[in-house]
Every structure is written in structure tokens, then in C-alpha cells.
Amino acid sequence: MSPAAGEPASPPARLSAAEAVDFLQLLEKLKHLKRTGWVRSGVAGAESVADHSFRMATLALALGGAEGTDAMRCVKMALVHDVAEALVGDITPHCGVSDEEKHRREAEAMAQIASLLGGGAAAEEVSLLWHEYEQGQTAEAKLVKDLDKLEMIAQASEYEQAQGMDLSGFFRSTQGKWRTQTGGAIAEEVTRRYEAHKAQRADGGDE
Amino acid sequence: MSPAAGEPASPPARLSAAEAVDFLQLLEKLKHLKRTGWVRSGVAGAESVADHSFRMATLALALGGAEGTDAMRCVKMALVHDVAEALVGDITPHCGVSDEEKHRREAEAMAQIASLLGGGAAAEEVSLLWHEYEQGQTAEAKLVKDLDKLEMIAQASEYEQAQGMDLSGFFRSTQGKWRTQTGGAIAEEVTRRYEAHKAQRADGGDE
């Protein structure tokens, strides 16, 4: 594997090797970027944006086209929905940045990412998926936005049970905001288990 | 969102809400499971299996059907390739467990995961993807196995640069093992940058 070997290997379909490695280096940042909501709440060992995106995408895979969606489009959208955060960080409603400014910064980051990907088919696909998610109009974007919130409340429940702080505000922040029946039904089950566990703790049942 | 509300919401296509939440709880473990190779090498803040799987899957998305593969099958395979580790942990060649025993434990875990997913279409899909990856015979499995190793050497390079320990053994472990031209070409680029950075450090260029 000599770096100087000049023979042109059969190239990847859409990316040069250099673009692929640039993209790997970009995605690395999402492994290090801890989700702001947990950090602000004092969670120890808070998950990364990559952790969050992985669980969303894998749930999308398992749901497989719920709500008449294109399952694979949902999986891909879940993978890229936070990719702009590799360049601008995880901006939340508590960061003192307006929604418009957040969108502007992220859209600018997506243009940089498209350029890093070489501006061809891969760049276009990643960019289209991200903008579709942001606009939230298609069936796929609505479902993936629900998965984003579901993943969050499931994690809030897990951190609260493991670490004892009150993370009920994350549940309240989602009330009345479910865009699909699938999202609402799963949220109801997450909430049911969360409340049952809380009631058990209040009874001293597991302490 | 009353837990007792009895009206049947339109169900997800393939999973009940309870199965979806069971699956979320299972996947949570992959966020906490640190990759054994880094832990053994003394890496601080080692990434999770979820982090690793996220970057593999997102690179598969960007590569989009390299080597004549079904791009979406590669993305999905990358998402599930380590999912058995949620139950059996990240067993490496240094753990004193034979390859056969590792496979046996993981296959048993996959049967449990299929049961957790309800035994229907989602269970079947996740299970088939995992077994296809393990067998390593299809074009998709070969490419995803290369992505698994690529993701690892890229991470070795990043940790070595950030934390200073010698992780060259991870590069050596992949020599001669690339199964696709795409994987080999990207590995060559990762290695070229790794060696350039190392030479620069040796010259005192960035210290």
C-alpha cells in the first residue's frame, strides 16, 4: 500500500478517495460533539450527536416505511439530519440564537459540506436530504422529525433513571408536537414506561 | 397522552409501539459500549459502537453504490453489523474467545433481537442483514467489511494524532485484507495522510 502508487484503482462511484477521507474527518466531529441538552442538564457522559443519529436511523430501518414513507429515505435522512452540526455545533433553543440564524448557519455549513463532497451526486443527495428534513413538509421529513424527538425522550428517560436528575422538561417540550400517528404512539409508550418507573421510585419500589 | 388511552392508533408498519421502545432500549446499550480496541490501547474518551456504526453507515450513504452494490443495503448493513454487541459486548481477537465462539454468541444474540422485534418483517430484515455481513460473500457484505476496517484506521489515525500513543498496529492488522478496490483506495489515502502527519511530527513540524 505505497502512497506513491500511481495506478488508477477503479474509483468509488461518486466520491474520490480524498473526498471520502475528508468526509470521514468531518463525521469524526459528530462523535466528539456532545448533545447540548444533556450537557446543560448536568448529565455525566452525555451521548454524542453520532450516537443520537445512529439510534434514530436504526429505528427508522426497523420501522420500515411506517406512515407510507419510503423507508430508506427516512434512514438516510436520519443519518444526515444533524450533519451540519459538525461545523456549527449543536445549537438549542437555550443558546440565544434565533431559529432563523440557526438555519442560516446550518445551511451555510451544508454548502461547505456539499463542496467537501465534491459537488456531485453524493453532495446533492446529502444536501437534498438535509433541506427536506429542515423544511419538514414531506411524509418522510415528518416521520424523521418525530424520530428525532422520540430518540430524545427515550434518552431523557434513560438518563433520569440512571442518574436521578429531573429530565421531565424534555417530555414537556414535545407535548402536542407529534406529526405522525406512529410517532405519537411510540411516544405514548415511552411516556408510559417513564411514568411507571417514576411512580415505582416514588414508592421506594426500587431504591 | 394518557397511557390508558385505549383507542388503537394506526400502528407502525412492522413494529408495535412496545417493540419499537424495546428496540430503542436495546440500541441504547451501543451508545454506552466503548470499542474494545481503543480501551485496550489506553485511548481516553473512546468512541462507542454507535459512533462507529454511524460513521460507517453515513460513509456508505455518500459512496452510494460503489462496486456495483445496492447502496441502501450497504447503509442498512452498516447500521446493524454490530447490533449483537448490545447483548454480548465487543469481542476482539485479544479477548481470548475463539472466532467460532464469538460467532455462536452473536448469532444467539441476534435470535434474541429478532424475538424482541416481534419476529415479523423487521426482525427478518435485521437478522438477514446481520447474517449476510457475517458470511461476507455478497458484494455489499464485502464493501461493508471494508468500511468497518476503514472506519477503524481513520479513527486510529485521529486518536494517535490527538493523544500521541502508537496505534500503527491497527493499520498493520488491515494489511492485505481489503476486499474491494474502493476500500483499498480509500485505505491508501487514510494511510498516506497518517504517514505524512507522522513524518511531520518526527520532523518537529507541528510540535
Side-chain angles (χ1 to χ4, degrees):
Chain A
M1 197 184 292
S2 157
E7 81 283 359
S10 162
R14 311 197 293 183
L15 288 186
S16 69
E19 286 158 358
V21 181
D22 288 345
F23 193 50
L24 281 171
Q25 289 178 339
L26 177 89
L27 296 175
E28 162 75 2
K29 297 180 197 295
L30 297 176
K31 297 184 180 183
H32 292 293
L33 185 62
K34 292 185 183 309
R35 298 252 289 161
T36 304
W38 310 134
V39 174
R40 282 178 51 92
S41 301
V43 167
E47 65 169 341
S48 67
V49 171
D51 282 326
H52 160 69
S53 301
F54 165 76
R55 192 158 70 159
M56 274 174 70
T58 310
L59 179 60
L61 188 169
L63 289 174
E67 308 277 333
T69 55
D70 173 341
M72 287 320 311
R73 192 153 189 87
C74 294
V75 170
K76 292 192 284 190
M77 199 180 289
L79 285 173
V80 308
H81 83 290
D82 273 346
V83 77
E85 296 185 7
L87 296 179
V88 301
D90 180 15
I91 302 167
T92 74
H94 303 280
C95 294
V97 174
S98 70
D99 283 354
E100 294 68 28
E101 173 62 11
K102 175 178 191 279
H103 180 79
R104 192 196 63 73
R105 290 186 197 175
E106 290 184 347
E108 196 173 280
M110 288 310 299
Q112 285 179 254
I113 291 169
S115 165
L116 175 150
L117 284 168
E124 189 179 6
E125 183 176 23
V126 168
S127 185
L128 281 175
L129 285 163
W130 184 84
H131 283 282
E132 181 177 333
Y133 176 80
E134 278 292 295
Q135 287 160 15
Q137 297 305 309
T138 64
E140 286 77 14
K142 286 174 187 169
L143 181 60
V144 177
K145 280 187 175 280
D146 275 2
L147 299 185
D148 184 46
K149 285 198 285 289
L150 272 177
E151 209 290 318
M152 179 187 75
I153 60 171
Q155 193 59 62
S157 177
E158 287 149 357
Y159 284 145
E160 183 169 320
Q161 287 171 30
Q163 302 188 25
M165 70 278 282
D166 176 9
L167 298 173
S168 57
F170 289 90
F171 281 82
R172 282 194 300 280
S173 75
T174 67
Q175 274 169 11
K177 295 199 175 156
W178 302 101
R179 299 172 188 220
T180 66
Q181 283 196 303
T182 298
I186 302 174
E188 195 171 301
E189 176 67 12
V190 173
T191 305
R192 192 191 62 71
R193 296 189 192 188
Y194 171 71
E195 287 174 354
H197 194 274
K198 219 165 177 165
Q200 196 185 20
R201 268 189 305 177
D203 288 347
D206 65 348
E207 302 202 24
Chain B
M1 193 182 294
S2 157
E7 81 283 0
S10 163
R14 310 197 293 183
L15 288 186
S16 69
E19 287 159 356
V21 180
D22 287 344
F23 193 52
L24 281 171
Q25 289 177 340
L26 176 88
L27 296 175
E28 162 75 2
K29 297 180 197 294
L30 297 176
K31 296 183 180 184
H32 291 293
L33 185 62
K34 293 186 183 307
R35 297 251 289 160
T36 304
W38 310 135
V39 174
R40 283 179 50 90
S41 302
V43 167
E47 65 169 340
S48 66
V49 172
D51 281 327
H52 161 69
S53 302
F54 165 77
R55 191 158 71 160
M56 272 175 71
T58 311
L59 179 59
L61 187 169
L63 288 174
E67 308 277 333
T69 55
D70 174 340
M72 287 321 310
R73 191 153 191 87
C74 294
V75 170
K76 292 192 284 190
M77 199 179 290
L79 286 172
V80 308
H81 83 289
D82 274 345
V83 77
E85 297 185 6
L87 296 180
V88 301
D90 180 13
I91 302 167
T92 75
H94 303 281
C95 294
V97 175
S98 71
D99 281 355
E100 294 68 28
E101 173 62 13
K102 175 178 192 279
H103 179 78
R104 193 197 63 74
R105 290 186 197 175
E106 290 184 345
E108 195 174 281
M110 288 309 299
Q112 285 180 255
I113 292 169
S115 164
L116 176 151
L117 284 167
E124 189 179 6
E125 182 175 22
V126 168
S127 185
L128 282 175
L129 286 163
W130 184 84
H131 283 282
E132 180 177 334
Y133 176 79
E134 279 291 296
Q135 288 160 15
Q137 297 304 310
T138 63
E140 287 77 13
K142 286 175 187 169
L143 182 59
V144 177
K145 280 190 175 277
D146 275 2
L147 298 185
D148 184 46
K149 286 198 284 290
L150 272 177
E151 209 289 319
M152 178 186 75
I153 60 171
Q155 193 59 60
S157 178
E158 286 150 358
Y159 283 144
E160 182 169 321
Q161 287 170 32
Q163 301 189 26
M165 69 278 284
D166 176 9
L167 297 173
S168 56
F170 289 89
F171 281 82
R172 282 194 300 279
S173 75
T174 66
Q175 275 170 11
K177 295 198 178 159
W178 302 100
R179 299 172 187 220
T180 66
Q181 284 195 303
T182 299
I186 302 173
E188 194 171 302
E189 176 67 12
V190 172
T191 305
R192 192 190 62 72
R193 294 188 194 189
Y194 170 73
E195 287 174 353
H197 194 275
K198 220 164 177 166
Q200 196 186 19
R201 270 189 304 177
D203 288 347
D206 65 347
E207 303 200 24

